[in-house]
Amino acid sequence: MSLPDQTVEEFIQAYDRMERPLAVLAHQDDEVPFGGTLAHAGDRVRIVWVTNGDGLYFETDVAPRQYATIRKTEALKSAAALGITADRTECLDFSEVEIYRRLSYVTQAADAATRLRPFFQRMIDAIRDRVFAYRPQVVFTPAYQGGNPEHDLTHYFTRLALDDYQKQTGETVPLIHVPMYEYIILVALRFNPFYRGLRWRYRLNENEMRAKRNMLEAYPSQVNLFRGFEKIANATGKLAVLTGGKAVTAEEFLGQEEFGPVPADWDYLKNPHTFDRANYIGDHFAGIPVSFDKSIRPIVASFPRAV
């Protein structure tokens, strides 16, 4: 049975037999939305964080490098809550600040994407190196959904790495994307209602839910963000009553994780939303907006898939 035809139960059965699951994530804390699924595999999982997490340093009174250290330390505690030791994790240490700086350059001049190819090629090469070194049987990555530009770049660069891996080895590695958020966080931890790909819902058991709670506690720097997700989860749960269901608490919402296989025909040049303003709402660097059409699409176009 091909992956797009599988049920979540069939995927989990296959997942149980995998010795080398890999998560390639943009940020420290991106593992939390599917922490229970990762906990299910425990110490068989490897986690790679692409950025150093320094992006929100300006909300604190510490310098970017210090803030990055805080975030990376929290991430190791989060992984430990899953039973994943530090030697099975890696941070590629690309600065969010510097990524956003380059995105602002592209926003101002589309041909900057070509001039900046060496910067983004280093990111692609680093992800590719880890894929070839780890030889994963499945890879989880953030959904390409217009919620955060670094999520989308990480997803696309991971896709390129897996394409190359397949070309070199003949092995097809399933790429599973995990929704994080979009429309700021109005749609949190779920694909939006217009998504037409396969959605899997995995219900966590008590041990997996406990691990996920411990992961949340590992990130005191992100407490305000998590509270925002909790409010959205509670509001979403109450809306279920309008469709004849029962109200769902934030705990119950977080206890069911959504993800799915990336459609084979995904068009990475297509805007994730009908209107570009719905992408990366409020994202900017030094006042220069970051958008899909002007910031991300030119970069994707400069690294076309060779499939």
Side-chain angles (χ1 to χ4, degrees):
M1 177 178 290
S2 64
L3 194 62
D5 297 323
Q6 284 188 330
T7 64
V8 67
E9 291 79 13
E10 290 169 326
F11 170 74
I12 293 298
Q13 287 176 6
Y15 184 49
D16 284 340
R17 297 190 296 271
M18 295 177 186
E19 297 178 355
R20 299 183 303 279
L22 173 64
V24 180
L25 308 172
H27 312 109
Q28 294 75 15
D29 77 24
D30 284 348
E31 72 279 5
V32 175
F34 64 119
T37 302
L38 292 175
H40 185 85
D43 61 5
R44 291 183 284 121
V45 175
R46 285 186 179 271
I47 299 177
V48 172
W49 294 284
V50 174
T51 74
N52 66 2
D54 65 358
L56 295 179
Y57 81 94
F58 57 85
E59 294 183 353
T60 72
D61 57 358
V62 301
R65 184 172 296 181
Q66 292 173 286
Y67 188 69
T69 298
I70 292 170
R71 300 280 280 128
K72 289 187 284 187
T73 300
E74 291 175 335
L76 292 180
K77 293 178 181 178
S78 172
L82 302 175
I84 301 171
T85 54
D87 63 313
R88 297 187 67 82
T89 72
E90 186 173 7
C91 177
L92 302 184
D93 233 24
F94 289 96
S95 166
E96 291 191 71
V97 174
E98 294 306 318
I99 292 171
Y100 266 81
R101 191 188 309 280
R102 270 71 177 181
L103 292 178
S104 75
Y105 296 158
V106 177
T107 300
Q108 296 174 87
D111 63 348
T114 301
R115 298 198 304 272
L116 292 170
R117 273 183 59 90
F119 177 84
F120 293 107
Q121 186 67 58
R122 287 194 293 273
M123 295 176 67
I124 295 170
D125 290 344
I127 295 171
R128 180 188 182 278
D129 288 348
R130 274 61 184 184
V131 167
F132 275 75
Y134 298 156
R135 298 178 297 111
Q137 294 144 309
V138 67
V139 175
F140 296 92
T141 203
Y144 193 85
Q145 63 184 144
N148 179 283
E150 290 169 331
H151 289 170
D152 291 351
L153 286 178
T154 294
H155 176 123
Y156 186 63
F157 292 167
T158 301
R159 175 74 278 169
L160 293 179
L162 290 178
D163 287 347
D164 201 14
Y165 186 77
Q166 180 178 8
K167 181 179 179 181
Q168 295 292 326
T169 67
E171 299 178 22
T172 301
V173 179
L175 181 60
I176 309 299
H177 58 166
V178 182
M180 302 288 173
Y181 59 83
E182 50 190 313
Y183 306 113
I184 305 181
I185 61 169
L186 184 61
V187 177
L189 314 182
R190 299 289 187 265
F191 293 112
N192 73 53
F194 309 106
Y195 178 72
R196 293 296 175 260
L198 183 59
R199 304 165 185 258
W200 286 331
R201 291 273 180 94
Y202 177 62
R203 190 174 297 280
L204 310 189
N205 61 36
E206 185 176 337
N207 288 337
E208 292 161 353
M209 193 63 204
R210 183 181 304 112
K212 190 167 185 172
R213 292 191 205 100
N214 290 338
M215 293 171 74
L216 290 166
E217 292 176 3
Y219 282 108
S221 74
Q222 304 303 296
V223 65
N224 289 333
L225 175 63
F226 292 152
R227 283 175 181 164
F229 280 121
E230 185 177 28
K231 289 179 182 178
I232 292 294
N234 278 323
T236 302
K238 290 176 182 177
L239 287 176
V241 175
L242 300 179
T243 59
K246 70 179 186 69
V248 177
T249 66
E251 179 87 354
E252 292 169 320
F253 183 88
L254 293 173
Q256 191 174 65
E257 297 177 346
E258 183 166 282
F259 48 88
V262 178
D265 60 352
W266 192 274
D267 183 357
Y268 288 99
L269 292 174
K270 182 179 179 181
N271 195 315
H273 297 102
T274 303
F275 302 104
D276 200 29
R277 289 184 179 180
N279 298 298
Y280 322 137
I281 297 172
D283 256 338
H284 65 89
F285 181 84
I288 299 170
V290 173
S291 72
F292 180 83
D293 287 342
K294 292 186 176 181
S295 311
I296 299 301
R297 181 187 282 129
I299 296 169
V300 171
S302 71
F303 294 98
R305 293 183 66 190
V307 294

